[in-house]
Amino acid sequence: MFNATRPQPGPDCSKDYRSKEVIDALREIFYGKCYLCEDETQNPEIDHFIPRETDPAKIYDWNNLYYICGRCNGVKRTATDILDCCNAVDVVSRAIKCIVPSIPDGDIIVDAQDDRETTKNTADLLNRCYNEKNTGNRGITRELLHERIFEEYSGFIKYRTALKSKKSLPRQKDDAKQRLLNMTQDSYPFSIFWKWHIWSDPYLSSVLDFRNL
Ligand SMILES: [Zn+2]
């Protein structure tokens, strides 16, 4: 999860919330990523943050529309009371810890960082988005999602190694540092992981200026 800024006013969605104009605007706001799992989705859908069943009046409300992947949309369904990534008050990447598992088929580690019900609900939802495999289809989408996260993680480890190695040239160390910081940008796929893999790492925390993450 990452924080996004929603421009006001948005496109007219009073009659059709699935128009090209609306989905294009959402794609830009969320950097083409699912707002929950941060995968660059090939199959974008529109989520009603407050479910349509809960509040039908918000079906055509611009502020209630979120860019989501098919997998997460199927998992979320009618979940409510979760952190709002478009509300600047909640720094969502600080509230939920996400760590890549040590083996590819292991569960992704998701951990709430405070005791608020909203934070716990969000951690529970993200845990299901990343790990649920209770149907054949979800088993496949989980495997593909984990492979994409692992592919990015292998790059992260490569840059960390280059930064720390005595064999690296100064320009190689500088390049590695820039690439690691780039991975923490909100626009980067799975950015919450790379922030936490830096915050949890005494070495990287000491050499990267993580105050800006
Ligand atoms: Zn997703």
Side-chain angles (χ1 to χ4, degrees):
M1 247 182 150
F2 57 102
N3 277 90
T5 306
R6 184 186 297 272
Q8 302 289 349
D12 178 17
C13 47
S14 58
K15 291 190 177 64
D16 180 9
Y17 70 83
R18 288 183 288 201
S19 69
K20 184 176 184 321
E21 194 187 1
V22 172
I23 193 82
D24 283 349
L26 290 174
R27 183 185 187 186
E28 191 171 336
I29 295 166
F30 294 98
Y31 309 107
K33 300 193 298 183
C34 168
Y35 83 100
L36 292 174
C37 74
E38 292 195 62
D39 194 11
E40 277 184 318
T41 177
Q42 312 284 313
N43 178 29
E45 296 180 6
I46 294 177
D47 176 45
H48 289 94
F49 187 74
I50 296 170
R52 44 168 77 202
E53 295 84 352
T54 307
D55 189 351
K58 290 196 179 296
I59 291 177
Y60 298 97
D61 181 344
W62 164 241
N63 294 308
N64 196 38
L65 305 178
Y66 287 67
Y67 202 74
I68 193 170
C69 74
R71 176 182 164 85
C72 290
N73 204 14
V75 170
K76 179 178 175 265
R77 296 177 62 83
T78 55
T80 53
D81 190 21
I82 61 169
L83 292 170
D84 182 358
C85 66
C86 289
N87 181 349
V89 171
D90 281 315
V91 181
V92 290
S93 59
R94 279 285 189 187
I96 312 280
K97 185 177 187 175
C98 288
I99 295 286
V100 180
S102 55
I103 52 172
D105 195 42
D107 273 353
I108 282 169
I109 298 153
V110 182
D111 190 28
Q113 298 298 293
D114 63 61
D115 290 334
R116 290 180 296 165
E117 276 306 307
T118 309
T119 308
K120 289 187 210 167
N121 292 342
T122 310
D124 287 345
L125 174 61
L126 284 185
N127 186 32
R128 291 174 54 220
C129 287
Y130 284 123
N131 297 316
E132 199 159 89
K133 53 179 176 182
N134 56 348
T135 65
N137 183 44
R138 280 202 188 133
I140 293 170
T141 55
R142 176 187 184 275
E143 180 188 330
L144 296 171
L145 177 62
H146 284 212
E147 288 298 334
R148 286 193 287 278
I149 293 171
F150 254 80
E151 195 177 326
E152 293 292 347
Y153 186 47
S154 70
F156 183 94
I157 294 295
K158 188 177 81 176
Y159 304 138
R160 184 190 185 281
T161 305
L163 188 57
K164 199 168 187 189
S165 172
K166 292 186 173 71
K167 296 176 185 172
S168 297
L169 299 171
R171 63 177 165 77
Q172 290 174 311
K173 285 180 182 267
D174 195 49
D175 178 70
K177 189 184 274 189
Q178 294 306 319
R179 287 181 186 277
L180 286 168
L181 286 172
N182 187 44
M183 291 181 81
T184 67
Q185 299 299 303
D186 288 332
S187 57
Y188 201 92
F190 315 115
S191 63
I192 193 170
F193 288 89
W194 321 130
K195 289 176 181 175
W196 276 103
H197 277 265
I198 292 172
W199 289 330
S200 308
D201 181 336
Y203 169 69
L204 286 179
S205 296
S206 69
V207 295
L208 297 175
D209 186 3
F210 65 94
R211 285 168 301 180
N212 295 327
L213 302 190

